[in-house]
Amino acid sequence: MIDVVKEIRNALRVQYPEAQYDVYTESIEQGFAEPCFAIHQMTADITPYPNHRTEIVQHFDVRFFPAGERPREQCRAVAGTLAFLLRQLASLRGTNLSWEITDDVLHFFVSYRQFVREIPPEYLMEILQLETGIDTETEG
């Protein structure tokens, strides 16, 4: 299964250098420095399919905390960038993209869908026997 949080973090790192923007993936530390991002997985929908396949749709809130003056303007600019950045990650395509600014913090919502296949324990590899040899008989 693809680690979606890692893919989002990597995309943010490419666009926003680590020296200028921290990216939090678990919890935000008390006294964190702005500007920064926080990736928050909200929910996941799991739907079983035939043939041991399962669809997993993960819903994320990528939050941006601006620094300095005009925070709403900064949030709108970052939202425009995230709309293209998070739409296509290295391995996944984002859907249901939307954003809102609440208390001068950007909340960028995106969902990622992936199918995973469960390999039942009874599907073990069989024994393969192979015989090789050299034909020493030559025609003359």
Side-chain angles (χ1 to χ4, degrees):
M1 189 161 107
I2 299 169
D3 186 343
V4 182
V5 172
K6 186 176 181 181
E7 293 246 352
I8 294 171
R9 185 184 66 224
N10 291 343
L12 291 172
R13 283 276 164 255
V14 168
Q15 185 69 34
Y16 299 99
E18 187 173 359
Q20 297 174 354
Y21 298 86
D22 287 327
V23 177
Y24 297 97
T25 58
E26 294 299 323
S27 62
I28 299 176
E29 300 171 5
Q30 190 171 358
F32 63 92
E34 299 168 335
C36 68
F37 291 93
I39 303 168
H40 175 70
Q41 182 173 2
M42 299 184 313
T43 61
D45 302 322
I46 301 170
T47 307
Y49 279 81
N51 296 330
H52 305 287
R53 294 182 331 145
T54 301
E55 177 191 42
I56 300 174
V57 181
Q58 299 178 66
H59 307 280
F60 289 90
D61 177 6
V62 178
R63 294 173 285 175
F64 171 69
F65 298 87
E69 297 181 20
R70 300 196 204 160
R72 294 181 76 76
E73 186 176 313
Q74 291 178 51
C75 287
R76 284 191 296 274
V78 168
T81 302
L82 293 181
F84 294 100
L85 185 68
L86 299 180
R87 182 174 59 190
Q88 181 68 50
L89 298 178
S91 304
L92 297 167
R93 180 176 299 252
T95 60
N96 302 323
L97 285 81
S98 66
W99 59 272
E100 66 182 36
I101 299 171
T102 306
D103 297 328
D104 293 334
V105 174
L106 170 67
H107 294 266
F108 194 94
F109 303 103
V110 60
S111 300
Y112 295 99
R113 173 184 173 199
Q114 59 183 313
F115 278 91
V116 294
R117 185 177 183 108
E118 175 186 348
I119 300 175
E122 66 267 8
Y123 285 172
L124 301 175
M125 292 184 66
E126 296 181 14
I127 297 174
L128 174 66
Q129 293 182 350
L130 179 66
E131 293 183 26
T132 61
I134 300 174
D135 187 12
T136 57
E137 195 175 306
T138 59
E139 292 183 28

